[in-house]
Amino acid sequence: MTDRTPHRDQLDQAVGLFQGGRLPEAENLCHEILGADPACADAHHLLAYVYTRRGDPARATESLGRAIQAAPTRPDLHMSLATALMNTGNFAAAAESYATAARLKPGWFQALANRGIALARLHRYTEAESALHDALALQPDSEPVLTSLAGVLQALGRSAEAADAAGRAVAADPAAPEAWTNLGLARHSLGQLTDAASACERAIAAAPDFAMAWYNLGHVRNDEWRADEARPRFLRAVELDSSYQPAWHAMLFNSLYDAAETERTIFEAHARWSRTLTRGVPVPAPPPVATSRHPSGTPRRIRVGYVSPDFRTHSCAAFLQPLFAGHDLAVVEVFAYSAVERTDDVTDWFRSHSQHWRNIRGLRHQAIAELIRSDGIDILVDLAGHTLNQPLEVFALQPAPVQVAWLGYPATTGLPQIGYRLTDDVADPPGAADRYHTEQLVRLAGGFHCYRAPDDAPDVSSLPASNNGFITFASFNNIAKVTPVVIATWAGILLALPDSRLLLKGKLLVHAGVRARICRAFEQAGVSATRLELRNWISRSDNPLAAYGEVDIALDTFPYNGTTTTFEALWMGVP
């Protein structure tokens, strides 16, 4: 507020009232000034500060709009407007306002830096990277900008560059927890688990109440095959911030691996999450069920919306593709709400088999719910439950009259707003399963999955034992499902057949530490590590199903059983 105006003395008095915390008096004085001079930009600007202090960003934004109408070339007003827009979640408009501020005041570091952050929130990572580099040209050692750049580079899949940027950030400020956290994320992606854990621990040391650092450390511990150390980290993140949804999802998902959990304890944990999610928040009434006919009397197609982060190369695709290919488009109109982080050719397949494709990645839950309501969805289907990147919270906003859970999560969601869950009487036998679901279980006859094998699946091989002279057991399940309890059971099988071997395959087995821990667990159960073959994950281009040609009998994990791996084994003739 640098301009001299006829109201300078009153403005100075209003600023003093504001700084003294006397907000009603400051507001009244601003209105008095505006009564005499409605175009006083400084009075509108100060009113915006008053509304911001009161926690009313919408009114702050409105006041700043009026200030800019009165003084459109003042960069500070555009900067303040951008900040207010960020507070309302309107990141696109904020990015434009930051750009305007930077254009009106060339070389304004903070405007450039903040624009990069706003663009990153929009997942416009390439533009964000450019804006952050512009800011770094002015202040090369800015820890906040380097930290933001690390996050952007990580999102672009350039983990080595992200680690370099985060390393520069922690060098600039060794006490910055966000910088250490982003360094941990980058190291984790690079498979440097020990360094990743160390970075997370440095973040926690710098800020013991930083929930994200605890959450990230939990994921590192999971990938180190230390689930017993992962869940307490997720729990700690939730204790620190009960609204931190990724930590809740991770904690609930991890509970499915634990043999000590029961259907009842799993249900209670999911219900607790749901109560926390909706506590104090009024749940909107669902839209009314639409009529089955248009006003003209002609039949109307049922609008079915599928919500998933996994419209890509993913195990769920083997079951989703038959469904999408089998829709009767005379009866069903398909909407796909995609939260996919990195698309591929399978994403293109799903897009081509959807009448309406909606990219919801990066949108707030309220915005997604409004989009679904505006699309007039009749049945909304959750395909991923509490797995990574699924916006399950959208379903709590009840954007469709009928909401269903299916496929990607083998337990209750905990959300009473999801009315049904598709299953069968093998996966969820009648009785206890009905008591421990918030959803009504709809059991499909003959099984609730329809598997589609890859077109390039190899032929079934001859029995390997015929050539080897010994039985080869195998499990290609996620290694996180191979718990100490599972190993104890499998060890009993191997000890009963002293010449048998066990083949394990999974992404986590690329890490030497994981392989060593698994070998040690088997040896403690009496099985020599020489009887184990541990292989890394095999990419789709290398035809992973061919590995079943080396397997006589597949072993299932428990209590979290295989799904896709079970179908793959049976398809390849392996019992």
Side-chain angles (χ1 to χ4, degrees):
M1 301 178 188
T2 56
D3 294 350
R4 298 303 300 175
T5 74
H7 313 286
R8 186 73 265 165
D9 291 342
Q10 284 180 295
L11 283 166
D12 289 343
Q13 183 183 354
V15 169
L17 292 168
F18 172 80
Q19 292 174 339
R22 296 160 66 180
L23 301 187
E25 295 167 77
E27 181 181 8
N28 289 337
L29 189 49
C30 286
H31 283 302
E32 184 179 324
I33 296 168
L34 291 169
D37 181 6
C40 180
D42 284 330
H44 286 300
H45 197 185
L46 182 56
L47 265 182
Y49 280 115
V50 171
Y51 295 140
T52 299
R53 183 75 63 84
R54 283 182 177 164
D56 191 348
R59 292 187 72 184
T61 300
E62 184 181 346
S63 290
L64 285 163
R66 294 195 179 105
I68 289 171
Q69 284 181 337
T73 60
R74 276 181 49 180
D76 62 318
L77 298 180
H78 291 278
M79 187 74 163
S80 293
L81 175 60
T83 301
L85 289 165
M86 289 289 284
N87 290 335
T88 64
N90 192 344
F91 305 127
E96 291 301 316
S97 291
Y98 283 131
T100 301
R103 185 175 66 252
L104 292 171
K105 184 179 176 180
W108 194 356
F109 165 79
Q110 202 59 57
L112 293 169
N114 288 359
R115 179 169 180 265
I117 292 168
L119 290 167
R121 297 292 293 272
L122 291 164
H123 298 253
R124 290 160 56 181
Y125 296 121
T126 301
E127 296 171 79
E129 180 188 2
S130 177
L132 294 170
H133 277 302
D134 288 343
L136 287 172
L138 300 169
Q139 294 187 24
D141 296 324
S142 167
E143 176 273 317
V145 177
L146 287 165
T147 296
S148 297
L149 179 61
V152 165
L153 293 168
Q154 179 66 25
L156 288 169
R158 291 151 57 187
S159 298
E161 294 174 70
D164 177 70
R168 290 167 58 197
V170 299
D173 183 359
E178 294 87 355
W180 283 111
T181 296
N182 280 3
L183 181 59
L185 281 170
R187 296 294 188 200
H188 191 174
S189 293
L190 292 168
Q192 300 166 2
L193 299 186
T194 301
D195 290 341
S198 176
C200 292
E201 287 166 345
R202 288 291 299 267
I204 291 168
D209 59 351
F210 188 31
M212 183 183 288
W214 288 98
Y215 165 74
N216 289 342
L217 181 57
H219 278 298
V220 175
R221 293 299 186 224
N222 259 345
D223 282 359
E224 290 179 318
W225 201 65
R226 291 177 169 173
D228 58 330
E229 297 179 41
R231 285 186 66 192
R233 269 73 181 177
F234 296 137
L235 176 59
R236 182 60 180 148
V238 167
E239 289 172 345
L240 290 167
D241 182 359
S242 63
S243 66
Y244 190 29
Q245 297 306 316
W248 272 108
H249 296 318
M251 186 176 69
L252 294 173
F253 190 33
N254 265 43
S255 71
L256 306 183
Y257 297 125
D258 191 345
E261 297 283 353
T262 65
E263 285 191 88
R264 177 178 179 176
T265 60
I266 288 172
F267 168 76
E268 289 173 344
H270 285 70
R272 187 165 61 251
W273 162 75
S274 178
R275 289 193 299 272
T276 302
L277 178 68
T278 57
R279 184 177 296 140
V281 179
V283 177
V289 177
T291 177
S292 62
R293 293 185 175 274
H294 291 291
S296 63
T298 58
R300 185 182 69 83
R301 290 189 295 171
I302 299 171
R303 293 188 165 197
V304 181
Y306 297 96
V307 185
S308 179
D310 300 325
F311 293 125
R312 58 186 176 88
T313 301
H314 186 274
S315 57
C316 286
F319 308 100
L320 276 177
Q321 287 182 310
L323 174 70
F324 272 58
H327 281 123
D328 182 349
L329 299 183
V331 178
V332 175
E333 190 173 359
V334 178
F335 291 71
Y337 297 93
S338 170
V340 174
E341 186 170 12
R342 293 193 179 93
T343 61
D344 58 20
D345 60 315
V346 177
T347 309
D348 295 335
W349 187 95
F350 280 111
R351 186 184 287 112
S352 70
H353 285 75
S354 305
Q355 284 69 62
H356 307 276
W357 182 265
R358 307 286 191 247
N359 181 11
I360 60 171
R361 177 75 179 153
L363 294 182
R364 289 192 164 194
H365 297 139
Q366 186 67 48
I368 299 170
E370 290 169 1
L371 174 62
I372 293 167
R373 280 180 178 257
S374 68
D375 283 337
I377 298 301
D378 299 299
I379 302 172
L380 189 67
V381 185
D382 158 50
L383 294 172
H386 290 274
T387 58
L388 194 63
N389 296 327
Q390 170 70 336
L392 189 60
E393 294 80 8
V394 170
F395 287 78
L397 300 173
Q398 194 75 64
V402 177
Q403 302 191 139
V404 180
W406 175 63
L407 183 62
Y409 195 71
T412 182
T413 62
L415 278 178
Q417 292 82 13
I418 296 181
Y420 307 94
R421 178 169 172 260
L422 303 185
T423 183
D424 57 43
D425 57 7
V426 175
D428 291 286
D434 296 280
R435 293 193 298 275
Y436 297 129
H437 276 77
T438 51
E439 307 87 355
Q440 178 182 334
L441 295 181
V442 178
R443 295 179 173 88
L444 304 184
F448 72 105
H449 287 106
C450 182
Y451 173 72
R452 172 181 167 177
D455 294 335
D456 59 354
D459 294 334
V460 174
S461 70
S462 59
L463 189 69
S466 299
N467 298 321
N468 295 333
F470 56 83
I471 292 175
T472 300
F473 295 102
S475 173
F476 296 164
N477 283 291
N478 182 346
I479 296 301
K481 298 181 180 180
V482 183
T483 66
V485 174
V486 171
I487 286 176
T489 300
W490 290 355
I493 296 171
L494 293 170
L495 291 172
L497 294 167
D499 293 331
S500 61
R501 304 286 189 272
L502 175 63
L503 169 61
L504 298 179
K505 176 175 71 71
K507 284 184 177 181
L508 299 188
L509 293 174
V510 70
H511 305 299
V514 174
R515 295 196 302 272
R517 275 185 281 279
I518 287 178
C519 288
R520 189 160 53 248
F522 273 99
E523 288 179 334
Q524 289 171 348
V527 175
S528 170
T530 59
R531 298 176 62 186
L532 308 177
E533 183 175 352
L534 307 180
R535 292 188 192 170
N536 186 19
W537 174 78
I538 301 172
S539 70
R540 185 174 56 136
S541 61
D542 291 328
N543 208 343
L545 293 190
Y548 282 104
E550 304 174 51
V551 180
D552 296 297
I553 299 173
L555 298 179
D556 198 11
T557 52
F558 61 90
Y560 196 159
N561 308 117
T563 304
T564 309
T565 49
T566 302
F567 281 90
E568 289 174 343
L570 294 174
W571 184 267
M572 295 307 301
V574 177

